[in-house]
Amino acid sequence: MKKSSFKHFEFILGGSLLLLMGGLVLLAPVLFPDGGKTMNFLARLTPPFSENFWLGTDPMGRDVLARVATGGKVSFIVGIFSALGAVVLGTIVGLLAGYYRGLWDTLFMRFADIQLALPFILLAITVIAIVGPGLDKIILLMIVAQWVQYARLVRGSVLSLREAEYVLAAKSYGLSNFKIMFKHILPNALGPLIILMTLNVANNILLESSLTFLGLGIDPLTPSWGGMLADGRNYIQTAPWVTVFPGIAIMLTVLGLNLIGDWLRDRLDPLGRLGKA
């Protein structure tokens, strides 16, 4: 199989995995109206592939498949919205810092350096201990922790583009700085941003699951993949399906996003395209 065909295969496989997991999450309210919250202690720890429970039940008799489908909503919401928030904030800061330089650049980048020196888990523990867990708080925390990546990436692109001929021509025509930044410079910096955002969505899903597993994420009563892993850790030897299936859901989703990210990197990287020519 040729390398180009393999990259096309990456897109197909990654897209298929995302369609599978995304479709399951979107159809969850229709397929499982109770959201996997119904308890049936007479059916607790039922093995997978039984007549009524395809993926078995958890220690409280709740349907594992229903909880996997419903819990995916939390992971997708956190992954997508935290990445979107971080890319918007980081892009604005990076544009201002790279275009205007001077005081703006110094203030923003020094603040970014300070934030990069703070370990994320320490920041998460501190913030959640003060304000408490919650979906909105997790999203805001990830935005605050990750905008720096986008700001530094955009700033680097702006520094290399601000002296380009088409930018100088736009200035000579009297276009405002706002139009130059968002109409002429930003579109040429979108490729790396899209790649980083795709990979960060996958990373944020892992982070949310990890925080929830540690008890620092969302409400334990809300179905989530990280919460399911935490619920089943004491039954890993007697009822491994309670943790295995949400773990597989996380793995398939993250794998799909990473494959798409790798495919986008090869497609949007000019040097990569030049090497294939």
PDB file of all heavy atoms in Angstrom, residues 1-17:
ATOM      1  N   MET A   1       0.844  -1.201   0.000  1.00  0.00           N
ATOM      2  CA  MET A   1       0.000   0.000   0.000  1.00  0.00           C
ATOM      3  C   MET A   1       0.879   1.250   0.000  1.00  0.00           C
ATOM      4  O   MET A   1       1.810   1.374   0.775  1.00  0.00           O
ATOM      5  CB  MET A   1      -0.901   0.015   1.242  1.00  0.00           C
ATOM      6  CG  MET A   1      -1.839   1.211   1.269  1.00  0.00           C
ATOM      7  SD  MET A   1      -2.903   1.217   2.754  1.00  0.00           S
ATOM      8  CE  MET A   1      -3.948  -0.190   2.366  1.00  0.00           C
ATOM      9  N   LYS A   2       0.591   2.202  -0.920  1.00  0.00           N
ATOM     10  CA  LYS A   2       1.357   3.425  -0.995  1.00  0.00           C
ATOM     11  C   LYS A   2       1.118   4.287   0.223  1.00  0.00           C
ATOM     12  O   LYS A   2       0.098   4.199   0.878  1.00  0.00           O
ATOM     13  CB  LYS A   2       0.990   4.191  -2.265  1.00  0.00           C
ATOM     14  CG  LYS A   2       1.363   3.458  -3.556  1.00  0.00           C
ATOM     15  CD  LYS A   2       0.998   4.295  -4.758  1.00  0.00           C
ATOM     16  CE  LYS A   2       1.383   3.584  -6.055  1.00  0.00           C
ATOM     17  NZ  LYS A   2       1.020   4.394  -7.239  1.00  0.00           N
ATOM     18  N   LYS A   3       2.081   5.188   0.477  1.00  0.00           N
ATOM     19  CA  LYS A   3       1.978   6.056   1.653  1.00  0.00           C
ATOM     20  C   LYS A   3       0.752   6.948   1.569  1.00  0.00           C
ATOM     21  O   LYS A   3       0.042   7.161   2.559  1.00  0.00           O
ATOM     22  CB  LYS A   3       3.239   6.901   1.786  1.00  0.00           C
ATOM     23  CG  LYS A   3       3.269   7.710   3.067  1.00  0.00           C
ATOM     24  CD  LYS A   3       4.569   8.445   3.199  1.00  0.00           C
ATOM     25  CE  LYS A   3       4.589   9.247   4.503  1.00  0.00           C
ATOM     26  NZ  LYS A   3       5.837   9.990   4.663  1.00  0.00           N
ATOM     27  N   SER A   4       0.463   7.510   0.366  1.00  0.00           N
ATOM     28  CA  SER A   4      -0.707   8.369   0.202  1.00  0.00           C
ATOM     29  C   SER A   4      -1.990   7.597   0.467  1.00  0.00           C
ATOM     30  O   SER A   4      -2.933   8.126   1.068  1.00  0.00           O
ATOM     31  CB  SER A   4      -0.726   8.971  -1.201  1.00  0.00           C
ATOM     32  OG  SER A   4      -0.746   7.940  -2.177  1.00  0.00           O
ATOM     33  N   SER A   5      -2.033   6.342   0.031  1.00  0.00           N
ATOM     34  CA  SER A   5      -3.208   5.519   0.284  1.00  0.00           C
ATOM     35  C   SER A   5      -3.360   5.240   1.769  1.00  0.00           C
ATOM     36  O   SER A   5      -4.478   5.200   2.298  1.00  0.00           O
ATOM     37  CB  SER A   5      -3.104   4.197  -0.493  1.00  0.00           C
ATOM     38  OG  SER A   5      -3.001   4.450  -1.877  1.00  0.00           O
ATOM     39  N   PHE A   6      -2.229   5.060   2.446  1.00  0.00           N
ATOM     40  CA  PHE A   6      -2.286   4.816   3.880  1.00  0.00           C
ATOM     41  C   PHE A   6      -2.853   6.023   4.610  1.00  0.00           C
ATOM     42  O   PHE A   6      -3.636   5.885   5.542  1.00  0.00           O
ATOM     43  CB  PHE A   6      -0.887   4.491   4.395  1.00  0.00           C
ATOM     44  CG  PHE A   6      -0.824   4.311   5.882  1.00  0.00           C
ATOM     45  CD1 PHE A   6      -1.361   3.183   6.474  1.00  0.00           C
ATOM     46  CD2 PHE A   6      -0.245   5.281   6.690  1.00  0.00           C
ATOM     47  CE1 PHE A   6      -1.315   3.017   7.851  1.00  0.00           C
ATOM     48  CE2 PHE A   6      -0.198   5.125   8.059  1.00  0.00           C
ATOM     49  CZ  PHE A   6      -0.736   3.986   8.638  1.00  0.00           C
ATOM     50  N   LYS A   7      -2.459   7.237   4.187  1.00  0.00           N
ATOM     51  CA  LYS A   7      -2.973   8.436   4.822  1.00  0.00           C
ATOM     52  C   LYS A   7      -4.462   8.579   4.563  1.00  0.00           C
ATOM     53  O   LYS A   7      -5.202   9.044   5.422  1.00  0.00           O
ATOM     54  CB  LYS A   7      -2.214   9.675   4.318  1.00  0.00           C
ATOM     55  CG  LYS A   7      -0.754   9.689   4.738  1.00  0.00           C
ATOM     56  CD  LYS A   7      -0.612   9.605   6.254  1.00  0.00           C
ATOM     57  CE  LYS A   7       0.843   9.593   6.675  1.00  0.00           C
ATOM     58  NZ  LYS A   7       0.988   9.422   8.138  1.00  0.00           N
ATOM     59  N   HIS A   8      -4.892   8.194   3.373  1.00  0.00           N
ATOM     60  CA  HIS A   8      -6.330   8.205   3.094  1.00  0.00           C
ATOM     61  C   HIS A   8      -7.040   7.188   3.967  1.00  0.00           C
ATOM     62  O   HIS A   8      -8.149   7.429   4.448  1.00  0.00           O
ATOM     63  CB  HIS A   8      -6.552   7.911   1.612  1.00  0.00           C
ATOM     64  CG  HIS A   8      -7.960   8.121   1.165  1.00  0.00           C
ATOM     65  ND1 HIS A   8      -8.598   9.338   1.236  1.00  0.00           N
ATOM     66  CD2 HIS A   8      -8.871   7.250   0.642  1.00  0.00           C
ATOM     67  CE1 HIS A   8      -9.835   9.225   0.776  1.00  0.00           C
ATOM     68  NE2 HIS A   8     -10.012   7.967   0.418  1.00  0.00           N
ATOM     69  N   PHE A   9      -6.400   6.066   4.193  1.00  0.00           N
ATOM     70  CA  PHE A   9      -6.962   5.042   5.066  1.00  0.00           C
ATOM     71  C   PHE A   9      -7.082   5.555   6.494  1.00  0.00           C
ATOM     72  O   PHE A   9      -8.044   5.239   7.198  1.00  0.00           O
ATOM     73  CB  PHE A   9      -6.078   3.794   5.016  1.00  0.00           C
ATOM     74  CG  PHE A   9      -6.461   2.739   6.012  1.00  0.00           C
ATOM     75  CD1 PHE A   9      -7.573   1.936   5.813  1.00  0.00           C
ATOM     76  CD2 PHE A   9      -5.712   2.553   7.177  1.00  0.00           C
ATOM     77  CE1 PHE A   9      -7.934   0.966   6.734  1.00  0.00           C
ATOM     78  CE2 PHE A   9      -6.072   1.586   8.101  1.00  0.00           C
ATOM     79  CZ  PHE A   9      -7.183   0.795   7.874  1.00  0.00           C
ATOM     80  N   GLU A  10      -6.117   6.361   6.947  1.00  0.00           N
ATOM     81  CA  GLU A  10      -6.189   6.957   8.275  1.00  0.00           C
ATOM     82  C   GLU A  10      -7.450   7.807   8.422  1.00  0.00           C
ATOM     83  O   GLU A  10      -8.121   7.771   9.449  1.00  0.00           O
ATOM     84  CB  GLU A  10      -4.958   7.828   8.536  1.00  0.00           C
ATOM     85  CG  GLU A  10      -3.729   7.064   8.958  1.00  0.00           C
ATOM     86  CD  GLU A  10      -2.616   8.004   9.361  1.00  0.00           C
ATOM     87  OE1 GLU A  10      -2.619   9.156   8.870  1.00  0.00           O
ATOM     88  OE2 GLU A  10      -1.758   7.593  10.152  1.00  0.00           O
ATOM     89  N   PHE A  11      -7.747   8.595   7.398  1.00  0.00           N
ATOM     90  CA  PHE A  11      -8.929   9.451   7.447  1.00  0.00           C
ATOM     91  C   PHE A  11     -10.203   8.606   7.504  1.00  0.00           C
ATOM     92  O   PHE A  11     -11.132   8.896   8.279  1.00  0.00           O
ATOM     93  CB  PHE A  11      -8.965  10.367   6.226  1.00  0.00           C
ATOM     94  CG  PHE A  11     -10.229  11.159   6.104  1.00  0.00           C
ATOM     95  CD1 PHE A  11     -10.459  12.258   6.923  1.00  0.00           C
ATOM     96  CD2 PHE A  11     -11.205  10.808   5.182  1.00  0.00           C
ATOM     97  CE1 PHE A  11     -11.627  12.987   6.827  1.00  0.00           C
ATOM     98  CE2 PHE A  11     -12.380  11.531   5.073  1.00  0.00           C
ATOM     99  CZ  PHE A  11     -12.590  12.634   5.903  1.00  0.00           C
ATOM    100  N   ILE A  12     -10.261   7.556   6.711  1.00  0.00           N
ATOM    101  CA  ILE A  12     -11.449   6.695   6.683  1.00  0.00           C
ATOM    102  C   ILE A  12     -11.633   6.001   8.024  1.00  0.00           C
ATOM    103  O   ILE A  12     -12.745   5.970   8.581  1.00  0.00           O
ATOM    104  CB  ILE A  12     -11.341   5.661   5.542  1.00  0.00           C
ATOM    105  CG1 ILE A  12     -11.354   6.358   4.184  1.00  0.00           C
ATOM    106  CG2 ILE A  12     -12.478   4.646   5.633  1.00  0.00           C
ATOM    107  CD1 ILE A  12     -11.144   5.428   3.009  1.00  0.00           C
ATOM    108  N   LEU A  13     -10.545   5.439   8.557  1.00  0.00           N
ATOM    109  CA  LEU A  13     -10.647   4.722   9.824  1.00  0.00           C
ATOM    110  C   LEU A  13     -10.986   5.683  10.958  1.00  0.00           C
ATOM    111  O   LEU A  13     -11.871   5.412  11.782  1.00  0.00           O
ATOM    112  CB  LEU A  13      -9.324   4.000  10.118  1.00  0.00           C
ATOM    113  CG  LEU A  13      -9.265   3.233  11.446  1.00  0.00           C
ATOM    114  CD1 LEU A  13     -10.372   2.201  11.520  1.00  0.00           C
ATOM    115  CD2 LEU A  13      -7.892   2.586  11.631  1.00  0.00           C
ATOM    116  N   GLY A  14     -10.292   6.832  11.019  1.00  0.00           N
ATOM    117  CA  GLY A  14     -10.568   7.807  12.067  1.00  0.00           C
ATOM    118  C   GLY A  14     -11.982   8.349  11.984  1.00  0.00           C
ATOM    119  O   GLY A  14     -12.678   8.467  13.000  1.00  0.00           O
ATOM    120  N   GLY A  15     -12.418   8.669  10.764  1.00  0.00           N
ATOM    121  CA  GLY A  15     -13.784   9.162  10.588  1.00  0.00           C
ATOM    122  C   GLY A  15     -14.820   8.116  10.955  1.00  0.00           C
ATOM    123  O   GLY A  15     -15.865   8.443  11.542  1.00  0.00           O
ATOM    124  N   SER A  16     -14.554   6.854  10.630  1.00  0.00           N
ATOM    125  CA  SER A  16     -15.493   5.781  10.958  1.00  0.00           C
ATOM    126  C   SER A  16     -15.631   5.611  12.473  1.00  0.00           C
ATOM    127  O   SER A  16     -16.729   5.426  12.994  1.00  0.00           O
ATOM    128  CB  SER A  16     -15.033   4.465  10.316  1.00  0.00           C
ATOM    129  OG  SER A  16     -14.979   4.571   8.915  1.00  0.00           O
ATOM    130  N   LEU A  17     -14.509   5.678  13.170  1.00  0.00           N
ATOM    131  CA  LEU A  17     -14.548   5.555  14.629  1.00  0.00           C
ATOM    132  C   LEU A  17     -15.320   6.716  15.254  1.00  0.00           C
ATOM    133  O   LEU A  17     -16.121   6.525  16.180  1.00  0.00           O
ATOM    134  CB  LEU A  17     -13.127   5.497  15.193  1.00  0.00           C
ATOM    135  CG  LEU A  17     -12.311   4.243  14.860  1.00  0.00           C
ATOM    136  CD1 LEU A  17     -10.884   4.381  15.378  1.00  0.00           C
ATOM    137  CD2 LEU A  17     -12.974   3.001  15.449  1.00  0.00           C
TER     138      LEU A  17
END
